[in-house]
Structures are given as structure tokens and as C-alpha cells.
Amino acid sequence: MTHVPNPYKETTIIDIAKELNVSKSTVSRALKNHRSIGEATKKAVQDLAKKYNYHPNDIASSLSKRSTKTIGVIVPLLSHYYFSTVISGIEELAYKSGYKVIICQSAESYEREVIVSQTLLSSKVDGLLVSISRETKNYDHFKVFQEKNIPIIFFDRICPEIEASSVIINDYQGAFMAVEHLIKQGCRRIAHFAGPPLLLISQNRINGYKDALLAHNIPFDEELVIDCGPGLEQENGSQTAQQMLDAGLRPDAIFAFCDPIAIGAMVTLKKNKIKIPAEMAVVGFCNEPMDTVVEPPLSSLVQPAFQIGETAAAIFFQHIQDKTSPIEKRILSTELIVRESSLKKFKNFCNGNFESKKFCSNITQPVAHFKFFYQPCFLRLLFTIMVISPA
Amino acid sequence: MTHVPNPYKETTIIDIAKELNVSKSTVSRALKNHRSIGEATKKAVQDLAKKYNYHPNDIASSLSKRSTKTIGVIVPLLSHYYFSTVISGIEELAYKSGYKVIICQSAESYEREVIVSQTLLSSKVDGLLVSISRETKNYDHFKVFQEKNIPIIFFDRICPEIEASSVIINDYQGAFMAVEHLIKQGCRRIAHFAGPPLLLISQNRINGYKDALLAHNIPFDEELVIDCGPGLEQENGSQTAQQMLDAGLRPDAIFAFCDPIAIGAMVTLKKNKIKIPAEMAVVGFCNEPMDTVVEPPLSSLVQPAFQIGETAAAIFFQHIQDKTSPIEKRILSTELIVRESSLKKFKNFCNGNFESKKFCSNITQPVAHFKFFYQPCFLRLLFTIMVISPA
DNA sequence: CTGAAAGCGCTAACAA
DNA sequence: TTGTTAGCGCTTTCAG
């Protein structure tokens, strides 16, 4: 009597085994092309699997292998270009290695971060890649992973308290370059629209900002470091800029924690008829696509999102391939993209080669090559500069 | 002799059961607060679980319950604001119901779409939410889900061949409204930068475009429907616009398939010193944040991404709660947001109330209320209009 | 080259 | 209120 698979039930290796009068181990092996299985049975099994539209049950396999081939990812917000691009980078590598990716958002909430990390723990992810929420200051929910020997890699917004692998960019250097660039443009009172104070990246950027001033003998003015409050969106930048103006502050440049804030600030400045960059230059951070759309185009620092994702994933694979592989802290260098929003003097930029060293005099780390990333912007820039600020 | 849990092994309900001299079923029940368990044992179990840092193994539970409490999502690209926002909507509902979300990108590739859907099948997702890739024309990989009674809900880019639930916006109506609006602005030669031809949304938008022309006795000119080639990015819009100009075509308006294309086109127009909207008006589709940043701000049609995600998830929950619940095809209405890029005549917009009926004369579906969505843009618009095109 | 059997950790029907 | 037992579908040692 032939075995008829129940149409309301998924076909399993047992169904195939019965039909072929072999054991389920044989089927299991045949299905994954195990070399110790005879060609004939192998083919028979595979054909029947196809015929019955068999799909392996990864859940069962995970349970028995004690590995889910899944990477958990926690980001603050998915709808930020930066984070979704990081995820693409992670996914790309994961995909190539046959890993799945479960993505969770903390929505910038500590509480939710704890909950989703617990979910991920229960889902038995093989590893965790995280960029922490801006509220997080207790890290116990991450320590659990380490106790269970689940590799955890932080990216961008890393965790200061935990000894774990991480991949970040050189925020200090980026901020330093941006501010030094502004100084070379002739700016002397440079405001910084700062990021969420708990985040290391915010602190590093402030430090880069301060040190660049210091390096150029410009006194640091506490008043010019302005907190943008909670939120990293355009409206926060707009509000902060308005508050600044209302307070009678008139810096000649703004270095913003991130691009949306910079763009929001630009909106306010334009509304107040302040000329950018002539009266106030602006530099952002992240080099988001929007930067080339706003007018004038926004100078910014590259955060190689895709590469950051890839790197984080690569470190994860390293850890699971070699359980003893040491913690790795990767620091990617950043790059300053100069666009019109911060370009007061035209002459500096005409001679083709830029001395990157000049831009980063007292940074020990290797310096990113200073170059024009987006060709067309240079052309447009020529044009616009000559028309708008003939200086 | 007390049972000492192996530190190299996760604590399981068995460990707890042994230590407490109860059965593992009791532990299992106590852990989920089953009412038939005595308060005393319940507390003992829960305390010990905490002490041992017990975390349930969802894999085992899934296997035994034959449900993973997981929703699979396939989107073309994560790094599009639209899709990541849809996912946020899905996640929000999923999260509230204790469901996980596995997100996959097809990267606009048919081949990859097939592979990830197979992965999701093997992962035993309880349901699948999909927006298909622009290459997809064979749908067998989705039919498998239906054969296995796994609910599948398409959103935005739905699947014409499969009888499944779906949530889309009224693309036809949106296109109609956009084009009618342009006509009311005095435009007579309106070009359409069309989307990927395989997608239903592209076709619907073309139809809306055609019918609006028809309704206003403007002859349809094949030449003015321009394919943007593969890719929905800014550069595609730029190139297409340049090709159009090079071909000697000078429409007085462009209605683009999506915002990045519209913005790309605007860049080219500006480069060619064509005044927007005076010489050429532009309307996009999706109402992305960038629209308010570009100059002049871009008119567009709202695609309520978050709500689309929520709705798709809601339909999924409906399906799993009631296996027999019928297929549901939800059509959300869209809304035209008028900004400066398409506002040639000021007078039309001064009297407070807009007659939405006028804007959608021959559409049977209920019409979205035509209103200003983004207040500040109206103010800025007043200002700019008066300065730039005093008409 | 193939099979038997013992799990992986949890659930749930049935029994007590 | 609690325990017994039989799985869920697959992997993997060990034995043939």
C-alpha cells in the first residue's frame, strides 16, 4: 500500500521515507547531498521531494542543530536612510551565507529595546547586531547575550560599558574635519547642534568640534553648543535654529549632529533671510541623499552605511566560525564632502588637489582622503558660486 | 541532591522541574500563568526561572505548536523611505500582538524574490506580506503559500494573477487628480514619466493620466509617456528628463511615477534653466520627506505608508483568527498635496474651500478630501509665489 | 552505503 | 491541581 501524503499536512522526510521504504535518516542525508548516499537513492529521494513539493522545516532543524542561522538586528528606527542601508549591508552578507535576518526597532525607547532583545533571545538568534536607542543607559539586557555566548556586535551607537566587538566611524575625526574646514572658510563663531547626550557618538563629535577650535586658537564658547532636544528630525533642527536666533545668537556657521537637523536649520535660516553660506555656513553629518537636493547643497560627512553593515556582519561570522576569536573594534574613517552650504571662498577649491593633511593636522588616525564624491555637485557649484556669492 | 544547571547549557523547563520536584508540564504551565496551577508552585517556578535566568526556547515551542508567531515580509528595497515606513506600520501591529517580523529584500530581482520566499516558507512564517519586485511576472513561488494555507497579503505592488488579500492605494485616482490639477493650472502638454511596465501601479497611474486628459478634451500623445528605464532613483529621473529635452520635447508639465524621479527631473530642468513651475510644472507620487526640501517644493500624492503596513498586518491577523475569513482587497484613497512645483496660478487657491468634486469629476470611487496637508508650506508658498512668479 | 534510536525543548491531550 | 505520555520534524551518533 503506497503512502499517500495528507494534503492538509506538510510533507516531511518521514512521508518520503515511507514511500521509498528507506529510513528517514537516509532521506535527510539524501536531501542535503551527503556523500555517503548512493546516487540512486539520492535521486529517488530528491525527485520525490520535488514531486511532493517538500520544503524542509527549518524550525525542526534549528531545534535539533541548536542553531537557527539567524542574525538579530536592533536599530532605533528603520525609516532612517542610514539604518535601512546598514541593514542592507548586513543582509547582503547574511544572504550569501544562508543566514536570515530578524529586524527589530527599538523606536528609540529603552523599554522597547529590552523587550525586543528578549524576543531575539527567545528566538535563539545566533548573533545580535545592535545600535542602541538614545535613551539607553542600562545595558543588562545585552549582557545576557554574552553570558549565553551569543556574539553581539554594536555598530554606530555602541555600548560604552560592554566589552564587545563594534564597528563605528571616526566621529571625532569627522567633527574635527568639518569644523576645521569651516575655520578655513573663515568662520570664527561656529555653533554645534549637538546629538542625544547619552550617545557616545554625540560626545565624540563634540570633542572633535572642541579640539578643532582649540587647534586653531578659537576660544570654546559653551553657549554655542546647543542641545537639539529629543529627536533627530528636520523639525528639531528648525526649532533649535529658531531658538538660537531668538536668543540673539548669530554664529557664522553651524555644524550639526546629523543631516536632518542641518537641513531643518537651513529652512529656518532661509526663513529668516540669513544667507547660506555667506552669513552662516552649515555642515551636516551622514551624507544622506537629501543633501544634494536641498539648496544650497549641504556639506556633510560620509557615514558608509552599507559598509558598516557588511563589516558588522563580517565580524559576526568571524565570531561564530572561531568561537575564540578576539573582540574586534573596527573604526571606519569618514570623509568630508564639501558642497555649497559651507563654501565661502571659491579660490581654495580651484587647484584640483586638496591637502588632506592640512585639514586634519592633529589627528593621529589615518586621514580619509578628501575628495569630491559627487561630481555633478562640483559643476553646479561652480555655477552657483559665481552667481550667488561672487565673493 | 540538588540539581545544578550546567553553565554551558541553557536552563530549560526540565532543569527547573527537577529542582522543584515537579513535572515539566507543571513548569510549562506555571511559566505562562496557567490558572490551574497553585499559587505556591507558580511562584516557586517563576522565582527559580528568574534565578536561573531562564529564557523560553521559542524554537521548541514553535515546533510543538506548529506556529512560529512570525510574519514574513518581502519588499523590493528596504532603503526606500516608503517601504521602511510600511514595515514600521506592520511591525507596530505585530509587536502589539506578540508577533515577530522577518524582513527580506528582493532587491528588485525576481530570482532573489523566489529564494527569499522559499526561505520564509522553510522558516514556517505564519503569514506573508509582499510587495513584488519590478521584474516579477511569474507568481508560482507565492502560490505555494496558498497551497499550504499560509495567508498572503500583497501591498502596493500586488500580484495580478493571484486571488489574495491586498492593500493598495487608488493609483488611478491619484494620477487622475494630479493631472487634473495640472490641467487646471493651465497645462496642456503634460508628460508622464512612467514606472516599471510590469507593475500594476504603473499601469493604473498611466490610466489615470490618460483619463484625466480625456476628461478635459486634451488629446493623448503617446510620445509624452516616457519610460524611465529600470530604476526609480533620482538619476533615472534626471536622465529621462535630459533625454526628453534632447529629443526636442517641451511639455509644460511632468507628472512622474514617483518622487525621486520627479526630483531628478527637476534637477535637470533647473540645470537647463527651465523655470519650475512657470515653464514646466512637476508633480510626483509618494509625498516623501524630500519633497519639502527640494526647491521649489514638490507637489505629490500621499501614499500613507504606515497605514498601508498597519492595514496589511490587520488583514493578516483577521485571516489567522478566522481561517475562513474571505479575501479582502482594501483600497486606500490618496490625497494630492499641492506645493509650489505645480502652482502656476495663485488665484485658484485663495478662497479657503476647494471643491474636491471638481478635481475628480469622473471617478466613481469616493474622493479623497483635497486639502493642504503641510501647513507651513502654504505660508511659504504665499511668500514665494509673490516674489518669484507674480503672475 | 543505510538504519535504529536517542534526542533538541516544549506543548497538550488525557489521566489521575 | 498536577503528572504521564506522546509527539512536533529533523539531526546525528553508533552500529551494522
Side-chain angles (χ1 to χ4, degrees), chain A residues 107-167:
Chain A
E108 295 280 17
S109 141
Y110 164 70
E111 198 189 349
R112 185 140 167 187
E113 187 177 274
V114 172
I115 293 175
V116 297
S117 61
Q118 238 127 45
T119 305
L120 258 16
L121 203 54
S122 292
S123 298
K124 301 293 167 201
V125 293
D126 292 347
L128 185 65
L129 313 190
V130 191
S131 201
I132 66 174
S133 97
R134 68 159 174 256
E135 284 182 7
T136 305
K137 47 191 165 194
N138 177 307
Y139 310 99
D140 292 347
H141 52 301
F142 295 132
K143 289 180 186 154
V144 190
F145 284 82
Q146 295 197 307
E147 284 161 17
K148 296 189 190 275
N149 281 308
I150 301 170
I152 170 164
I153 294 107
F154 293 96
F155 60 90
D156 197 45
R157 303 179 177 191
I158 64 176
C159 182
E161 250 182 38
I162 294 186
E163 255 315 298
S165 291
S166 60
V167 24

Side-chain angles (χ1 to χ4, degrees), chain A residues 13 24 28-29 54 64:
Chain A
I13 51 171
K24 60 178 181 174
S28 171
R29 288 175 187 126
Y54 168 81
S64 119

